[in-house]
Amino acid sequence: MQGWSVNRGVGILVIGLLLVCSGALAKAGEMDPLKPRVPPREQAKVHNWHPSYGSTRTAPPEVIAQGKRLYETVGLCAACHGKSGKGDGPAGKPLRIGPRDFTNCRFHQVRTDGELFWILKNGSPGTGMMPMVKPKGHLTEEQGWAILAYERQFCKETSL
Ligand code: HEC
């Protein structure tokens, strides 16, 4: 009888450990990519934010090329979002909330330029996405817009 209860105790311990480990090893996934990140009270303000050339979707090729360089180097974006934009960079792996997959065209459809720029200035509070553009981040506004122009290129659907 005593042996049975010891076995049962060990069994419960093993099951408990398995549950804890599987939770810790669970692959970090994206938090709902279509839900807005800009607080409602700031939506009207960001609506008017655009790059000097009008829209990140019609950026000149030299701006896109500059954005690519920055994205992969001093911008640090590729470290988390991956060179491929799929959100699979090495520094993003341990994060509980995964980096955005920029190849998701639905994400680009729902996000305006202003909303993307707000994220670069403020980060996404409560996640590993830190402010990247000044004053809280290290990039200039012009660099931030160039990176966003490149980020749009990860969606390969031309109808957007
Ligand atoms: C330390 C890792 C890390 C780095 C470096 C990083 N990001 Fe992120 N990024 C994240 C994570 C995590 C999320 C997901 C946040 C969320 O779901 O709210 C995210 C989300 C985003 C989003 C989506 C926000 C939205 O509206 O849903 C954009 C845009 C973005 N990052 C752009 C960038 C750019 C551009 C750079 C480089 C200048 C960059 N990130 C660098 C981790 C990172």
Side-chain angles (χ1 to χ4, degrees):
M1 199 57 196
Q2 210 189 353
W4 181 81
S5 82
V6 169
N7 279 345
R8 195 176 56 162
V10 170
I12 289 171
L13 197 72
V14 168
I15 290 172
L17 276 175
L18 280 176
L19 284 177
V20 169
C21 292
S22 63
L25 292 175
K27 194 187 160 315
E30 269 186 293
M31 204 160 57
D32 183 359
L34 304 184
K35 199 174 125 274
R37 298 294 189 262
V38 178
R41 63 177 187 285
E42 296 197 47
Q43 275 289 350
K45 178 178 78 181
V46 309
H47 196 68
N48 299 316
W49 290 358
H50 301 287
S52 55
Y53 41 84
S55 161
T56 56
R57 293 183 169 91
T58 55
E62 62 273 18
V63 170
I64 296 173
Q66 183 204 3
K68 177 172 164 42
R69 269 196 312 277
L70 292 166
Y71 178 94
E72 292 174 356
T73 58
V74 292
L76 305 175
C77 323
C80 288
H81 292 277
K83 214 172 162 185
S84 67
K86 289 203 180 91
D88 57 358
K93 292 260 153 53
L95 298 176
R96 191 176 48 85
I97 293 168
R100 184 69 67 253
D101 173 357
F102 296 136
T103 65
N104 176 356
C105 292
R106 279 291 291 141
F107 167 73
H108 290 286
Q109 257 172 349
V110 299
R111 284 290 188 282
T112 62
D113 280 358
E115 287 174 322
L116 293 180
F117 201 68
W118 185 92
I119 284 286
L120 292 195
K121 281 179 96 75
N122 298 282
S124 181
T127 77
M129 180 63 208
M130 303 157 293
M132 304 304 283
V133 161
K134 286 175 181 175
K136 294 184 213 155
H138 65 293
L139 301 168
T140 65
E141 298 211 343
E142 192 227 335
Q143 288 175 321
W145 282 118
I147 292 175
L148 290 179
Y150 176 61
E151 206 179 286
R152 292 286 196 202
Q153 303 294 310
F154 287 118
C155 161
K156 297 297 176 207
E157 277 173 35
T158 48
S159 58
L160 293 178

